[in-house]
Amino acid sequence: MMLILMTQNLISEPAREIPVVGEFDLCVLGGSCTGVFAAIRAARLGLSVAIVEKMGCFGGVATLSLVNVWHTPLDEVFEKRIFAGLTQEVIDRLKRRNSVKEDLANASVAWGFNSAEMQIELDELITENNITPWLHTSFVAPIVQDGQLTAIAIENKNGREAIKARFFIDATGDGDLCQRLGLDTYLAARRQPSTTCATFSEWDSLGNANWGALIREHADEYDLPDGFAWGGNIPGSDVFMLAGTRVFENCSTAEGFTKAEIEGRRQVRAIQDILRKYAPESKLALQALPARIGIRETRHVRCLHQLTGDEVLHGKRFDDAIANGSYRVDIHHDDKPGITFRYLDGREVYTRPGLPHENGRWREATAQSPTFYQIPYRSLVPQGPFGNVLAAGRFIDADTVAHGAIRVMVNMNQTGEAAGVAAYLALKNECPAREVSPAKLRTTLADGGSIIL
Ligand SMILES: Cc1cc2nc3c(=O)[nH]c(=O)nc-3n(C[C@H](O)[C@H](O)[C@H](O)COP(=O)(O)OP(=O)(O)OC[C@H]3O[C@@H](n4cnc5c(N)ncnc54)[C@H](O)[C@@H]3O)c2cc1C
């Protein structure tokens, strides 16, 4: 039996020895496409790689939370290709399974995919690339020896164990490793809301009913926050995926995350009840809920550079650029319904469910406008003493406006690929992450299939 020392509000756990279950060049924490792509790029360069994911499948929001949309690989005017890499490779694989609907000149949905097929495709990629996976395994604590991160503690069905590695990539979305290392993390004053998606059968039975307008008009009756709703059929099926709920809890705390899950599901039911009541001829049925609420934003980690909204909206070029994006800035309002889109050419569009768009400008028109933005490597390198840690995914250092654009998966996928390649270069050159040569990083990324501009 374990001996426990207690005071009124604190329990002291006795020190204990935990088994080391593996030793690797690189350990990636978090198994969304961001983490998986980091692991694959590093493995293809010859590193031994482990990946730790707390849920039962890879893919993060793209699979666990049913968000099945990736944005265009073309620039804002749909002329120039701005990224490829593993995003394109996965799309090509999914196409072979008839699991993708493609419309590259569409700013909202370039690729709609089947999230279940994506899960299996990611399993295959992990296996093909000889990456050692741990599913249903949570990272719980960093193990620091002589000021260096040397291992992580994990928990799973076996209990508590440790994985040793020479380098670590935090791709947990919430920056769990960075936060537990005591690095400087911050919460934006206005965070993007989380959303519980849901799938429905018989959606077509709504016929011509304007479901967006119905949800908006009857929101008060069902205590739904003013919102934004979108959805579409899952490619290769007749099931409809709806993203229509909005939850403003802080999902990087246990209490907030718990409340958010319950509130998100309540809102799904409220939407279903509105549609049943006000489109009574419909026969739609709730088909599936996500394994986890979809989270757009929690904490960020302070890095060598904070990417700003100005830099994104003015398409600033960086010498250490590792990702290119053209997804517009989207501002999810918490003080009124709907969202506002800002484009690099100065257009601004305010949109609400079931109502016509309102067009305006956030800046005057100019003869020439940038058509894509970039993410610099420095926004992935956390400040602080740990030279063998990189951040990848939605918690990289970006202000509220920049995050509103860069957060989408096609961009986050590129941060994962860059982190994997940077880990390889840091280990090869025996240097800390902050000293990885940007030029070498960019050429190595390009050699592995990335588009570097
Ligand atoms: C409703 C909704 C709609 C969206 N729409 C789009 C869209 O249309 N297109 C688009 O590209 N993006 C969209 N996004 C945004 C995008 O999904 C996220 O910003 C993006 O997925 C973030 O990726 P990530 O890899 O950083 O985090 P996540 O996808 O959240 O992945 C983090 C992973 O880490 C794991 N993890 C967390 N903590 C631990 C731990 N302690 N130990 C082990 N594993 C851990 C998680 O289980 C998860 O698998 C949307 C998001 C939402 C919620």
Side-chain angles (χ1 to χ4, degrees):
M1 195 207 288
M2 190 184 274
L3 276 178
I4 290 175
L5 305 170
M6 292 177 72
T7 62
Q8 197 173 7
N9 291 317
L10 284 175
I11 292 176
S12 248
E13 260 191 292
R16 56 181 157 153
E17 289 175 343
I18 56 174
V20 175
V21 291
E23 201 163 341
F24 299 87
D25 294 322
L26 171 67
C27 181
V28 178
L29 287 61
S32 68
C33 291
T34 310
V36 171
F37 290 6
I40 294 172
R41 292 299 289 257
R44 286 182 181 173
L45 289 164
L47 298 193
S48 60
V49 184
I51 187 164
V52 172
E53 165 55 47
K54 73 176 176 183
M55 304 290 281
C57 71
F58 297 107
V61 165
T63 55
L64 297 165
S65 308
L66 306 175
V67 178
N68 65 338
V69 168
W70 280 356
H71 295 289
T72 184
L74 304 178
D75 66 356
E76 194 174 270
V77 291
F78 306 116
E79 282 174 4
K80 183 186 176 90
R81 191 164 265 270
I82 57 170
F83 66 80
L86 280 160
T87 300
Q88 186 63 54
E89 193 174 321
V90 166
I91 289 293
D92 292 343
R93 293 171 72 114
L94 287 171
K95 277 183 183 168
R96 293 201 284 272
R97 301 210 43 96
N98 198 23
S99 303
V100 184
K101 189 163 170 252
E102 180 174 272
D103 180 3
L104 297 190
N106 181 327
S108 297
V109 188
W111 292 303
F113 54 82
N114 182 314
S115 292
E117 293 279 358
M118 170 76 86
Q119 280 189 31
I120 303 171
E121 217 55 56
L122 294 175
D123 287 344
E124 291 189 354
L125 275 163
I126 290 284
T127 308
E128 286 166 20
N129 286 283
N130 296 316
I131 295 161
T132 305
W134 266 274
L135 290 175
H136 291 301
T137 299
S138 286
F139 152 75
V140 289
I143 297 169
V144 176
Q145 293 169 313
D146 300 326
Q148 276 307 303
L149 178 63
T150 54
I152 56 158
I154 54 171
E155 281 192 356
N156 55 28
K157 283 286 186 187
N158 299 338
R160 198 171 175 100
E161 301 175 327
I163 297 175
K164 281 188 177 173
R166 296 162 67 208
F167 204 100
F168 298 83
I169 294 173
D170 185 347
T172 58
D174 304 315
D176 285 3
L177 171 64
C178 292
Q179 194 258 346
R180 286 178 203 181
L181 280 169
L183 300 183
D184 190 3
T185 59
Y186 63 96
L187 276 180
R190 292 182 120 187
R191 284 183 305 282
Q192 296 233 351
S194 300
T195 293
T196 301
C197 296
T199 56
F200 292 87
S201 58
E202 304 279 348
W203 191 266
D204 287 350
S205 66
L206 283 166
N208 292 327
N210 184 337
W211 52 267
L214 289 178
I215 295 170
R216 180 178 46 76
E217 283 159 14
H218 302 287
D220 285 351
E221 184 186 340
Y222 286 86
D223 194 21
L224 277 178
D226 285 333
F228 178 71
W230 59 269
N233 270 81
I234 295 173
S237 85
D238 53 7
V239 171
F240 189 89
M241 199 292 287
L242 179 75
T245 65
R246 285 182 131 202
V247 182
F248 286 90
E249 300 291 342
N250 173 5
C251 291
S252 64
T253 68
E255 298 79 6
F257 206 177
T258 303
K259 277 192 196 160
E261 291 286 11
I262 292 171
E263 171 60 11
R265 289 193 282 269
R266 184 197 71 77
Q267 290 185 25
V268 168
R269 175 167 282 182
I271 289 173
Q272 188 187 17
D273 288 350
I274 289 173
L275 297 176
R276 280 183 171 168
K277 181 169 175 184
Y278 294 101
E281 67 287 358
S282 75
K283 300 188 201 72
L284 65 92
L286 183 58
Q287 194 252 0
L289 286 165
R292 196 199 65 188
I293 189 169
I295 302 170
R296 290 187 180 84
E297 186 172 19
T298 57
R299 60 171 87 92
H300 294 268
V301 63
R302 295 238 181 257
C303 292
L304 301 184
H305 178 83
Q306 184 184 55
L307 186 63
T308 67
D310 263 2
E311 289 168 342
V312 166
L313 282 167
H314 293 283
K316 183 172 164 58
R317 296 286 172 267
F318 295 98
D319 290 343
D320 62 341
I322 47 81
N324 306 305
S326 63
Y327 180 69
R328 58 220 167 175
V329 167
D330 69 18
I331 300 162
H332 285 250
H333 301 289
D334 54 7
D335 52 351
K336 60 179 182 178
I339 60 181
T340 296
F341 293 121
R342 283 192 183 154
Y343 294 84
L344 274 63
D345 64 4
R347 280 175 301 129
E348 181 170 288
V349 179
Y350 175 49
T351 167
R352 284 163 292 171
L355 286 176
H357 294 173
E358 291 174 22
N359 297 313
R361 301 198 67 83
W362 64 269
R363 71 162 170 84
E364 293 307 311
T366 44
Q368 287 214 316
S369 295
T371 60
F372 65 96
Y373 51 80
Q374 298 193 310
I375 302 175
Y377 172 60
R378 282 164 296 151
S379 296
L380 279 58
V381 185
Q383 293 178 13
F386 301 103
N388 62 345
V389 176
L390 277 171
R394 62 177 156 79
F395 77 104
I396 64 169
D397 202 353
D399 73 12
T400 302
V401 174
H403 179 78
I406 65 160
R407 69 179 176 86
V408 294
M409 290 179 262
V410 292
N411 295 338
M412 298 300 94
N413 294 349
Q414 294 175 78
T415 66
E417 293 185 68
V421 171
Y424 159 77
L425 291 172
L427 290 176
K428 183 174 172 226
N429 296 310
E430 297 182 353
C431 69
R434 73 181 70 84
E435 285 174 21
V436 166
S437 150
K440 191 71 192 151
L441 174 57
R442 283 162 53 85
T443 50
T444 315
L445 275 164
D447 291 346
S450 301
I451 292 180
I452 291 297
L453 300 170

